[in-house]
Amino acid sequence: MAEQGQERRRRLVLVAAPFQGHINPLLQLSAVLHSKGFSITIVHTQFNSPDPSNYPEFNFLFIQDGLSDHDVASLDLTAIVLALNDKCQLPFQECLARLVKEQETRDDRIACVIYDELSYFSEATARNLKLPSIIFRTSNANTFLARSVIIEMYVQGRIPLADPLSQKAVLEHPPLRQRDLPISSFGPMKNFFKLIGNVRDVRRSSAIVYNTMDCLEGSSIAKLQQLCHVPIFAIGSIHKIVPAPSCSLLEEDTDCMSWLDRQAPSSVIYVSTGSLASMDAKDMLEMAWGLANSEQPFLWVVRPGSVHGSERVESLPDGFRAIVGEQQGRVVKWAPQKEVLAHNAVGGFWSHCGWNSLLESISEGVPLICRPSFGDQKVTARYVSQVWRVGLHLEDELERGEIESAIRRLMADKEGDEMRQRAMDLKEKAELCIRIGGSSSNSLNKHTMRFRHSCR
Ligand code: UDX
C-alpha cells in the first residue's frame, strides 16, 4: 500500500493483437513507457503468445482466446481477428476487473488501457471499469486515410474493383492508384468492411497513438487530426526510442550476423516478406533464380509458410542451395531483422513493405525493393517509390530477369546510389523526430502527460 503523501506509481495495461507485426511495436511502446516510470501489464491471447522471459520487468497476463487449432488452420486472417474480438471480451473483462481489485493492495494504480486497434474489444471493458483507454495504431496514417476512400467506394458499389490491377489514379488520395488501395485479400468482402469499420471506430477512447512520424507522413497526420475528434500522437519510430529485447515468435538465426561480418560494406541484399505474406511456388522459383543470377550476396528469410501450403524451408527450388552456396547467399528461417538492417554489410532490403519493416529500414538508411502482398503494404510501397523515393516497386508478374535487373539497379547502379542517399537523408530526419524537441519526442511527452494526470 502506498504511504500517505507519497505519490502512487501508475500502471498501464497494454492489450496486444496476436501477430508479429503488432506484438513488436506494442512491446516496444511498453519499453518506452516503462522507461518513463510506468509499471506495465501486457494482456495477450494464448494464440501466438510472446515469451515473457524476455521482459522480466513487465507483468504478462494471458487470456483464453477460445480459438481452436482448427479455427487457426481454417479461418482467414480477417475471420480470426473478428473471432478474437468476440471471444476475448469476457476473459478480458474478468482479467481487468481482477487487476482493478488487486490495485487496492498494490503500490500502483491503473492509469489507462492502451489497446492495439485490432483488439477493439478492450474499449468496452475499460469503459465499464471507468478506466480511460487509448488506441494504438501500428500502421501508418496514409493507410488509415485510404481506408476512408475504400469505404466510400464500397458504399457507392465500386468495390470489388472491376480491375484489381487498375492503374487508374485515386483522385481522393494521390499518388495511389486503384491497385494500391488497401483492400483485403482475405475472406469475404463484407467481413473485411465489418473489420475496418470496427477498427476505425474510436468509441469512447480518449486518444490515438500512431507508430509513424512527421518526416514521413506530416501532412497526412495533420489531415487525420482534422478528421478526428480526439488527439492523435505520432510517436514513431518507437523501436529507436529505447532498446527493447527481441519478441520474435520464431527462433532467430543469429549465426547470420557472423556471415554478414564477412561481407563487404553495403554489398548484401536482405530479403524478407515479414510474418504473414506468402507466395506461390512459381514466384518463389523466379525469386530464387533472380537473386542467384544477380551475383549479389543475399541474406534471405524463408519462413515456414513463405510458400502457400508449405511449412518447410525446402520450398527452395531443387539444387538451389548446391548451386548458389553459402558464399553468395544465406537462407534462414527467421533473422534478427533490426540488427541485420543496422549491419554495414546490408545495402538493400527486398521487402513486402510491412510498416515495421519500412520503419526499421528507414531508421538505418537502407533503400528498398518493394514487393507488397496485401493491405497497408501496397500503400507503403507506393509511397516508397513515388513520394520518399527510397526504393523500387516490383510490380506485376515476378520474372527472374526483371528481378536480377532490379537488384542490380538498387545495389550497383547510380539510381540505387541516389536512393541510398535519400534513405540516409530520411534516416537523419527520422533521428531528429525522436530527439528532444523533435515531433515524435514532443508527442510522446504530451501523450505520457495524459496518463500522469488521468490518475491523480
Ligand atoms: C503485419 C502486416 O503484414 C503489415 O503490413 C502491418 O503493417 C503489420 O502487420 P508483417 O507482415 O509481419 O506485419 O510485417 P512487418 O510490419 O514488417 O512486421 C514484421 C516484424 O517482424 C518486423 O518488426 C521485423 O523486424 C520482424 N522480423 C521479420 C524479424 O524479426 N525477423 C524476420 O526474419 C522477419
Side-chain angles (χ1 to χ4, degrees):
M1 187 90 84
E3 284 172 26
Q4 258 203 334
Q6 186 189 324
E7 201 186 352
R8 290 177 83 176
R9 274 174 72 92
R10 295 159 190 90
R11 177 164 295 275
L12 300 172
V13 176
L14 290 100
V15 187
F19 305 100
Q20 187 74 73
H22 291 254
I23 294 169
N24 289 8
L26 185 111
L27 287 175
Q28 288 153 3
L29 174 64
S30 305
V32 170
L33 296 170
H34 188 259
S35 76
K36 302 247 172 208
F38 295 97
S39 307
I40 300 291
T41 293
I42 306 284
V43 177
H44 205 286
T45 55
Q46 298 282 356
F47 168 56
N48 272 349
S49 57
D51 180 0
S53 66
N54 289 342
Y55 291 85
E57 66 281 18
F58 298 169
N59 170 34
F60 279 79
L61 296 173
F62 293 101
I63 53 174
Q64 292 296 337
D65 48 60
L67 280 187
S68 65
D69 290 347
H70 177 260
D71 290 338
V72 172
S74 61
L75 294 177
D76 62 73
L77 265 182
T78 306
I80 287 183
V81 177
L82 289 171
L84 282 173
N85 275 282
D86 282 344
K87 292 171 190 262
C88 288
Q89 180 135 17
L90 195 57
F92 180 56
Q93 173 86 31
E94 289 164 4
C95 163
L96 195 59
R98 218 172 27 247
L99 273 179
V100 169
K101 187 143 184 45
E102 280 169 14
Q103 72 183 3
E104 289 163 13
T105 55
R106 285 161 75 137
D107 68 349
D108 58 15
R109 199 175 175 77
I110 300 172
C112 186
V113 173
I114 303 175
Y115 62 96
D116 186 295
E117 65 174 354
L118 295 185
S119 297
Y120 50 83
F121 64 85
S122 315
E123 189 274 340
T125 299
R127 181 163 25 103
N128 290 341
L129 292 168
K130 303 203 170 6
L131 291 169
S133 67
I134 286 180
I135 305 173
F136 178 40
R137 295 208 165 123
T138 59
S139 189
N140 51 67
N142 282 305
T143 294
F144 195 85
L145 290 171
R147 283 190 193 145
S148 309
V149 176
I150 57 179
I151 289 175
E152 190 60 36
M153 289 170 75
Y154 188 57
V155 171
Q156 295 164 355
R158 290 160 60 205
I159 286 186
L161 294 171
D163 171 13
L165 295 180
S166 168
Q167 303 268 0
K168 226 160 139 188
V170 175
L171 299 177
E172 304 89 328
H173 198 119
L176 298 187
R177 302 156 301 174
Q178 289 193 353
R179 64 187 300 161
D180 306 313
L181 288 169
I183 301 171
S184 167
S185 42
F186 302 110
M189 206 51 96
K190 72 171 185 348
N191 276 0
F192 168 65
F193 280 97
K194 178 175 174 192
L195 179 60
I196 60 172
N198 284 338
V199 164
R200 288 172 63 77
D201 190 350
V202 176
R203 299 178 174 80
R204 303 277 180 78
S205 296
S206 59
I208 305 172
V209 172
Y210 272 90
N211 187 14
T212 187
M213 46 190 157
D214 267 11
C215 69
L216 289 179
E217 301 198 287
S219 58
S220 300
I221 296 165
K223 191 164 172 195
L224 264 186
Q225 185 59 85
Q226 278 173 2
L227 297 174
C228 191
H229 63 279
V230 299
I232 287 179
F233 298 98
I235 66 168
S237 269
I238 300 175
H239 76 284
K240 278 294 189 183
I241 302 175
V242 296
S246 158
C247 34
S248 284
L249 297 171
L250 294 173
E251 194 184 340
E252 291 173 354
D253 180 336
T254 47
D255 290 350
C256 64
M257 298 308 289
S258 46
W259 180 85
L260 283 176
D261 290 341
R262 297 195 292 276
Q263 310 303 321
S266 297
S267 65
V268 175
I269 177 144
Y270 169 61
V271 186
S272 163
T273 55
S275 64
L276 297 170
S278 59
M279 62 179 89
D280 58 34
K282 182 180 159 294
D283 282 351
M284 177 67 139
L285 189 72
E286 294 305 310
M287 199 168 159
W289 293 119
L291 281 164
N293 298 343
S294 74
E295 293 176 355
Q296 203 69 37
F298 61 85
L299 171 61
W300 186 8
V301 179
V302 183
R303 197 203 63 242
S306 285
V307 172
H308 300 314
S310 157
E311 288 297 309
R312 299 167 301 123
V313 167
E314 285 60 43
S315 44
L316 286 172
D318 286 346
F320 181 76
R321 280 175 190 275
I323 294 169
V324 176
E326 278 263 317
Q327 225 159 353
Q328 187 197 349
R330 173 134 186 154
V331 181
V332 296
K333 283 189 186 171
W334 194 251
Q337 180 166 302
K338 292 201 298 301
E339 289 80 354
V340 166
L341 288 167
H343 197 289
N344 80 341
V346 173
F349 182 10
W350 171 314
S351 174
H352 69 311
C353 288
W355 188 241
N356 296 289
S357 292
L358 181 277
L359 291 176
E360 290 160 13
S361 203
I362 293 293
S363 301
E364 303 304 337
V366 177
L368 301 110
I369 292 180
C370 304
R371 179 71 183 175
S373 179
F374 60 85
D376 63 340
Q377 302 159 14
K378 296 191 281 178
V379 176
T380 301
R382 187 71 176 157
Y383 273 76
V384 167
S385 64
Q386 301 298 309
V387 180
W388 309 316
R389 297 170 58 231
V390 293
L392 304 167
H393 193 164
L394 253 191
E395 301 203 73
D396 305 322
E397 227 170 273
L398 279 184
E399 191 277 316
R400 62 189 74 184
E402 298 280 335
I403 294 172
E404 181 187 335
S405 130
I407 295 173
R408 293 236 167 88
R409 278 168 65 198
L410 186 78
M411 303 298 289
D413 286 0
K414 185 160 171 279
E415 186 187 3
D417 287 344
E418 288 167 1
M419 288 178 194
R420 192 159 297 106
Q421 188 51 54
R422 284 193 287 272
M424 288 308 288
D425 295 345
L426 210 41
K427 171 187 173 172
E428 275 177 30
K429 289 183 186 152
E431 284 168 353
L432 289 177
C433 284
I434 58 169
R435 254 188 231 156
I436 295 170
S439 59
S440 293
S441 166
N442 288 345
S443 270
L444 180 63
N445 290 338
K446 280 191 216 147
H447 165 58
T448 46
M449 284 307 284
R450 292 174 75 85
F451 307 143
R452 295 196 197 286
H453 292 137
S454 65
C455 75
R456 283 248 160 86

